[in-house]
Amino acid sequence: MKIELKLSGADDAHIIKNLWPLYQHETSEFELLKPNSHGVFGVEDSVKTLSEHGPGPWWADSEALFPYLILVDGAPAGFNLIAGKPRLWKGAHGDFCVEEFFVLHAYRGLEVAERAATLGFQAHRGLWEVFTWPNNPRAIAFWRRVIGGYTSMKHTQGEIDYPTGRRISFHFDS
């Protein structure tokens, strides 16, 4: 099985945009995010279709936003959206942050997510912050295992008040 992290551009941005609603549905369990009256997550009622909605400005700033597709044997398996320092939240203490990370259920348990996360860390050297919801024990265990293995347990973990709410945070140097 060949696992790749491919920087997405205008030609394949639609793939991440197509996967975005699946990610929002999955994370709605932790953010209590509900769809609008048209069934679209995370937006006002004026947005009626998925084609009008997407994961924000990821293709507008190639110096600080890195929208990666996760590919398995060339097929889309998820995404790893990494932000650089100019685009990090105001209280950030790192150079990079995994803003959004998603792997389709069909590829879970196959080390696809682990490899995709590690490839992202390797592609951007510096200080990292990774966040997840305190009520998502599976994600906490995943990041603890992956970051712990990647850094030989040379990372810190804590809780912070992130702009969108309380989060578990991991800090490390890649």
Side-chain angles (χ1 to χ4, degrees):
M1 178 171 32
K2 183 178 178 187
I3 301 165
E4 299 173 83
L5 202 61
K6 178 185 180 279
L7 192 58
S8 172
D11 59 325
D12 57 10
H14 67 279
I15 299 171
I16 291 175
K17 291 177 182 181
N18 288 342
L19 294 171
W20 187 252
L22 300 172
Y23 169 72
Q24 286 197 301
H25 174 262
E26 184 161 300
T27 61
S28 70
E29 176 181 357
F30 310 107
E31 285 211 81
L32 304 176
L33 185 66
K34 293 184 172 121
N36 69 12
S37 64
H38 305 286
V40 182
F41 279 96
V43 293
E44 299 169 4
D45 269 348
S46 61
V47 177
K48 294 182 180 181
T49 67
L50 291 175
S51 64
E52 300 172 53
H53 179 48
W58 285 95
W59 297 269
D61 182 357
S62 62
E63 299 296 316
L65 296 175
F66 309 98
Y68 287 101
L69 271 169
I70 299 169
L71 303 172
V72 175
D73 296 330
F79 53 78
N80 185 355
L81 305 183
I82 297 171
K85 195 164 190 80
R87 291 296 192 122
L88 298 182
W89 66 289
K90 194 174 185 173
H93 300 291
D95 301 312
F96 299 98
C97 177
V98 175
E99 287 286 332
E100 315 289 349
F101 187 87
F102 176 68
V103 173
L104 292 166
H105 284 251
Y107 296 101
R108 293 185 186 174
L110 303 173
E111 296 189 11
V112 171
E114 291 86 343
R115 183 74 180 129
T118 300
L119 288 169
F121 302 151
Q122 291 171 343
H124 302 279
R125 296 296 183 171
L127 298 175
W128 279 83
E129 292 187 302
V130 177
F131 305 99
T132 193
W133 295 274
N135 58 344
N136 187 347
R138 201 169 118 200
I140 294 167
F142 168 79
W143 288 116
R144 188 179 290 145
R145 184 179 72 251
V146 171
I147 292 168
Y150 180 74
T151 66
S152 300
M153 300 306 290
K154 294 178 182 163
H155 69 282
T156 60
Q157 179 183 329
E159 283 195 43
I160 62 158
D161 289 317
Y162 192 67
T164 56
R166 194 97 173 130
R167 298 289 187 267
I168 299 295
S169 66
F170 298 89
H171 295 87
F172 61 97
D173 192 341
S174 67

